[in-house]
């Protein structure tokens, strides 16, 4: 799942400001301005989406919440890149798209405790901490 977030939705969301700038330029509008607005809208609501995923997971469960966020990312990708025709509709779609593509990054801390028992998480945390402290000493 993390691979799909990292390669899929991060890659798709990264090109949104460039795409919006291209659409703005074709419409005779300022490409840098609309590209910046798209980036700000997408990133601003991504923070809200990231926080909302945790509250939604508490309300309806981890798995349904993660599936809703993944489904919305999948549904909104063609909306942003193919179906939003006007600049207003495109910026509205980018805002909703940013909520879900930014928020989907919160699935890991919400869902992973369900996948791995506490004992295993504790051992891996200890292993990572001791290795992190040991590697700089080996580099000297």
């Amino acid at each position: 799942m993390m691979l799909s977030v990292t390669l899929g939705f991060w890659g798709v969301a990264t090109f949104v400001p460039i795409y919006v700038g291209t659409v703005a330029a074709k419409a005779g509008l300022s490409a840098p301005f609309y590209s910046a607005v798209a980036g700000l809208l997408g990133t601003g609501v991504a923070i809200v989406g990231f926080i909302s995923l945790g509250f939604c997971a508490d309300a309806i469960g981890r798995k349904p919440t993660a599936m809703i966020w993944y489904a919305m990312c999948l549904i909104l990708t063609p909306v942003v890149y193919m179906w939003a025709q006007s600049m207003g509709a495109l910026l509205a779609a980018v805002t909703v798209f940013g909520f879900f593509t930014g928020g989907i990054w919160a699935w890991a801390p919400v869902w992973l405790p369900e996948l791995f028992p506490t004992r295993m998480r504790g051992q891996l945390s200890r292993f990572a901490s001791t290795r992190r402290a040991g590697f700089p000493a080996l580099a000297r």
Side-chain angles (χ1 to χ4, degrees):
M1 285 175 57
M2 197 63 190
L3 189 62
S4 70
V5 172
T6 303
L7 298 179
F9 297 124
W10 176 80
V12 169
T14 300
F15 293 111
V16 166
I18 297 167
Y19 175 71
V20 171
T22 304
V23 171
K26 287 181 183 176
L29 302 169
S30 171
F33 174 76
Y34 282 100
S35 180
V37 168
L40 287 171
L41 287 173
T43 305
V45 297
I47 297 166
V48 177
F50 194 86
I51 294 168
S52 298
L53 187 136
F55 287 112
C56 190
D58 284 343
I60 65 171
R62 294 173 180 147
K63 290 178 185 176
T65 300
M67 293 304 114
I68 289 169
W69 255 251
Y70 269 99
M72 290 306 294
C73 288
L74 186 64
I75 291 167
L76 288 168
T77 299
V79 170
V80 168
Y81 285 103
M82 295 181 354
W83 299 330
Q85 299 297 321
S86 70
M87 188 54 66
L90 182 57
L91 290 176
V94 164
T95 303
V96 179
F97 185 64
F99 178 86
F100 288 103
T101 58
I104 196 65
W105 289 90
W107 79 268
V110 170
W111 197 337
L112 290 180
E114 185 175 310
L115 297 175
F116 302 107
T118 304
R119 180 182 71 31
M120 184 183 295
R121 289 193 320 267
Q123 288 174 344
L124 290 175
S125 176
R126 184 186 67 205
F127 176 78
S129 296
T130 57
R131 294 301 167 250
R132 187 174 53 231
F135 282 132
L138 293 174
R140 292 182 192 183

